Amino acid sequence: MYFAALLARTEDGWEASDTELDDVETLSDLTDLAREASVDEDTVLVFIEQEDAWFGVVRVDGEDDPRIFVSDATAAARSSYGEILLTDELLGREPGAEDTIAALEELVGLDETEDDDPDTTPDNDTTDHDDNDDGLDTDADAVPSGPLGDTRLLADLGLPEAELLLLRTDALVEIADALGAAEVLETVR
């Protein structure tokens, strides 16, 4: 179960609105949605929460690039909404690298066999592939576990980095409470 809401800061305080993410496919779409809710280019926060799994906060300040925090990147990577937040930049990847690798693999073939040739690679392949000191294969495209992103994105609004990192369940309620917006968030929850 997902919950998504926009929290826009105005001169009179925070205004909340729930939002549907059905038409949101990219971070750019999400950022545009936040900017539409902005009054005079003030701060807008987008909250996304998958019950008992992960939450994410996107902060949009006027025309600045969005700032993102995800509580558990591994859990978010298994979610279509989480994938929106886990950009190449946030993951420390070269932009578009995943598309390039996929295109090359399709062109050459992942297992380097012709379409009609059987795969003759033995199942007990013991060749040394990118092994780390633990003896486990590493994947350059793996998503790190745990929190990821800008841990200070709410510090100036009343939620210090250390407290953000400790949040788990009902995180959005605790964030809204720290921002003084619990009552307005509750109206859309």
Side-chain angles (χ1 to χ4, degrees):
M1 176 109 187
Y2 287 98
F3 171 73
L6 295 171
L7 209 59
R9 188 163 73 174
T10 69
E11 58 186 47
D12 297 328
W14 291 97
E15 292 181 7
S17 60
D18 61 344
T19 187
E20 288 295 323
L21 299 178
D22 295 340
D23 296 331
V24 174
E25 296 179 8
T26 65
L27 180 59
S28 180
D29 293 343
L30 191 60
T31 303
D32 291 344
L33 185 68
R35 286 190 177 121
E36 289 171 11
S38 175
V39 177
D40 297 325
E41 297 189 5
D42 283 332
T43 299
V44 177
L45 303 174
V46 181
F47 293 140
I48 302 173
E49 181 179 61
Q50 182 180 0
E51 191 173 316
D52 297 329
W54 66 276
F55 70 90
V57 179
V58 178
R59 179 176 176 163
V60 179
D61 293 301
E63 292 299 317
D64 292 347
D65 288 339
R67 296 166 58 191
I68 304 166
F69 174 79
V70 177
S71 66
D72 185 337
T74 304
R78 293 187 293 265
S79 157
S80 59
Y81 296 130
E83 286 179 344
I84 293 170
L85 304 182
L86 298 175
T87 63
D88 287 337
E89 182 180 338
L90 191 66
L91 293 169
R93 296 180 186 153
E94 191 69 32
E98 195 172 288
D99 296 336
T100 302
I101 292 169
L104 289 173
E105 287 175 348
E106 185 177 316
L107 182 64
V108 179
L110 182 59
D111 60 4
E112 298 178 2
T113 61
E114 295 292 324
D115 288 341
D116 296 333
D117 292 342
D119 182 4
T120 57
T121 306
D123 290 338
N124 60 351
D125 182 12
T126 58
T127 54
D128 189 25
H129 300 284
D130 300 330
D131 288 347
N132 63 18
D133 293 337
D134 298 334
L136 302 172
D137 285 346
T138 58
D139 183 356
D141 291 334
V143 174
S145 62
L148 186 64
D150 185 348
T151 57
R152 301 197 36 78
L153 85 160
L154 300 173
D156 65 321
L157 299 175
L159 187 68
E161 175 180 17
E163 289 182 33
L164 179 64
L165 290 170
L166 292 175
L167 297 177
R168 294 292 173 248
T169 58
D170 283 335
L172 300 186
V173 171
E174 292 184 46
I175 291 170
D177 189 43
L179 302 177
E183 289 181 21
V184 294
L185 183 64
E186 192 59 37
T187 63
V188 297
R189 205 156 170 129

